[in-house]
Amino acid sequence: MDWQVPLADLDYGEAEKQAVLEVLDSRWLTMGAVTQKFEQRFAEAAGVQHALGVSNATVALHLACLALDIGPGDEVIVPSLTFVATANAVLYTGAQVRFADILGPDELTVSPESIAAQITPRTKAIIPMHYAGYPCRMAEIMELAARHGLAVIEDAAHAPGASLNGKALGTWGDIGCFSFFSNKNLSTGEGGMLVTHRDDLAQKIRLMRSHGMTSLTWDRHQGHAYSYDVVALGYNYRLDEIRSALGLVQLEKLAANNARRQVITHRYWEMLRGSRLGLPFSQFQGMPEAIPAYHIFPVLLPSDLERKAFIDHLKMRGIQTSIHYPPIHQFSFYRQLYPAVELPVTEQVGTRQATLPLYPSMTDEQLIATIEAIQEILA
Ligand SMILES: *Cc1c(COP(=O)(O)O)cnc(C)c1O
């Protein structure tokens, strides 16, 4: 469909084209100098010791669980109001998930109190997800983790460039996982990154992302090694040079693009304040300690307005919307695994949530067209 206002849009131009051509001309396509440079720059930007490029954020979450020795018999606490990959990655390891509820309609991130209620003797880790790029209650979550000896893996797929109290999201816990999927703030089509302060975890992740091999094609190409051993069960979860080259260009644009997302988000809040729409996270406006990434713009519909009618009306005006997210515990697959889960706040929000268009190149005309279409359907 040819949307007048799409839900999301890439900020791609000549620099991305040039970066790809340079990789093609270099005749080295994967796990080389460009990926190393991307990892280094990403680590510097986040103020973290290690950054490791991988194929996508789903495998980043899987590797994070494996590096922390999560497996059969263990439990990991995750929100249900997130993309399904957050929970799937835990199940890949043979561990079980326990779902925690969110804070409330104003703050759609996971509730520390609900996490605490899900802790059992089998609990090994917590995976908070920084919904829309707004920080979870990290001080409370880290305190809870320390008290119970739990690891923390941050699902920071929405949050590149975001921080809380000057500390980048993704670097609060043991491991942070980022996504470079095509609709994310930093886009390479497919791609992901793990970050960690811990040398031991970085070493494990480096091994496991490439077959558990002790030396890589790149080292051998450079004459640093001629053979290798396999010392762990590994995977091919690598990132290639073309995507890393795109990532380097996109990383340069990230701060300005996040700032543009902030401006659009604040204009949405100003124009929709006093309407019948709920505006989650609007309390973050003017909060100095948090720098969100403003990945998406979620709203909550009034209970007397059917979500399908809202989405259809905006569609008729050429405006694309989405839902973030259908709660994981309500999917058929998860219902069968965990039939007894009840999360009142997640379920309430899950039926009323809608996501409006937000992307750095969104024009004033597009923003106003969206607001007008919303006013029509609310009237
Ligand atoms: C996009 C996303 C993922 C998965 O990222 P991929 O890179 O597509 O595997 C995981 N968690 C959240 C919250 C996401 O938005």
Side-chain angles (χ1 to χ4, degrees):
M1 215 179 131
D2 207 9
W3 298 101
Q4 197 193 325
V5 189
L7 183 68
D9 199 12
L10 286 171
D11 174 19
Y12 264 38
E14 278 309 314
E16 281 82 359
K17 284 186 197 165
Q18 204 50 49
V20 168
L21 291 178
E22 277 170 28
V23 171
L24 297 182
D25 287 340
S26 79
R27 306 183 63 77
W28 189 267
L29 295 181
T30 191
M31 294 295 284
V34 182
T35 301
Q36 279 178 5
K37 188 170 166 189
F38 182 35
E39 292 175 339
Q40 201 181 331
R41 291 274 167 85
F42 197 90
E44 282 164 14
V48 67
Q49 202 70 27
H50 306 279
L52 296 128
V54 289
S55 321
N56 56 66
T58 306
V59 306
L61 289 161
H62 184 203
L63 283 183
C65 291
L66 293 172
L68 290 160
D69 293 321
I70 291 163
D74 297 330
E75 292 174 358
V76 177
I77 300 169
V78 301
S80 176
L81 196 73
T82 175
F83 185 55
V84 67
T86 315
N88 284 350
V90 174
L91 298 190
Y92 298 162
T93 70
Q96 299 296 314
V97 294
R98 288 182 76 97
F99 291 107
D101 213 341
I102 54 171
L103 281 158
D106 296 329
E107 201 167 349
L108 309 182
T109 49
V110 68
S111 151
E113 206 179 312
S114 179
I115 292 172
Q118 294 301 324
I119 294 174
T120 77
R122 293 172 176 271
T123 308
K124 197 98 181 240
I126 306 165
I127 311 185
M129 191 283 271
H130 303 295
Y131 184 111
Y134 299 93
C136 293
R137 300 280 182 97
M138 288 314 292
E140 284 157 85
I141 292 170
M142 295 309 296
E143 202 271 325
L144 205 54
R147 185 145 35 97
H148 295 271
L150 308 177
V152 174
I153 300 167
E154 292 171 76
D155 183 336
H158 294 189
S163 65
L164 176 64
N165 295 323
K167 191 167 172 175
L169 300 188
T171 70
W172 281 72
D174 296 275
I175 301 175
C177 299
F178 292 88
S179 173
F180 309 137
F181 184 65
S182 98
N183 64 8
K184 298 285 166 37
N185 288 30
L186 190 170
S187 172
T188 67
E190 300 283 354
M193 193 76 83
L194 292 104
V195 299
T196 182
H197 295 293
R198 284 175 52 181
D199 297 344
D200 60 328
L201 294 178
Q203 197 188 343
K204 271 185 168 175
I205 292 161
R206 198 182 304 279
L207 269 175
M208 282 191 296
R209 79 169 163 188
S210 197
H211 308 289
M213 286 161 59
T214 51
S215 83
L216 306 173
T217 323
W218 176 241
D219 303 318
R220 295 194 293 282
H221 178 71
Q222 295 200 307
H224 294 160
Y226 69 94
S227 185
Y228 58 85
D229 190 15
V230 169
V231 295
L233 176 63
Y235 302 81
N236 177 355
Y237 281 177
R238 295 181 304 245
L239 183 63
D240 64 81
E241 297 281 274
I242 294 175
R243 290 185 176 83
S244 295
L246 292 170
L248 274 165
V249 178
Q250 289 272 295
L251 184 59
E252 290 284 321
K253 296 179 172 180
L254 182 65
N257 277 343
N258 283 3
R260 180 66 194 147
R261 288 174 184 275
Q262 176 181 23
V263 168
I264 297 164
T265 297
H266 286 196
R267 289 204 61 196
Y268 262 132
W269 282 336
E270 276 148 25
M271 289 191 282
L272 292 172
R273 191 169 294 132
S275 79
R276 293 193 299 130
L277 290 186
L279 303 174
F281 301 110
S282 50
Q283 79 271 22
F284 278 83
Q285 186 161 15
M287 185 190 276
E289 62 271 29
I291 300 179
Y294 304 98
H295 171 52
I296 52 174
F297 189 81
V299 295
L300 299 182
L301 305 180
S303 48
D304 62 349
L305 176 59
E306 203 204 336
R307 180 159 58 186
K308 189 176 181 310
F310 179 84
I311 290 174
D312 285 348
H313 180 79
L314 267 70
K315 184 175 174 183
M316 187 185 73
R317 293 279 181 252
I319 298 159
Q320 188 182 16
T321 56
S322 185
I323 295 169
H324 290 85
Y325 292 88
I328 298 177
H329 73 285
Q330 294 182 322
F331 288 134
S332 316
F333 174 73
Y334 278 90
R335 268 261 166 267
Q336 276 184 340
L337 273 182
Y338 306 110
V341 176
E342 279 178 32
L343 302 166
V345 189
T346 295
E347 286 163 23
Q348 244 300 310
V349 164
T351 57
R352 294 171 52 213
Q353 193 278 339
T355 304
L356 303 182
L358 174 59
Y359 46 93
S361 62
M362 191 172 181
T363 64
D364 283 353
E365 290 71 32
Q366 288 174 320
L367 184 62
I368 286 160
T370 305
I371 300 286
E372 281 174 357
I374 291 166
Q375 283 163 347
E376 284 167 2
I377 182 76
L378 287 179

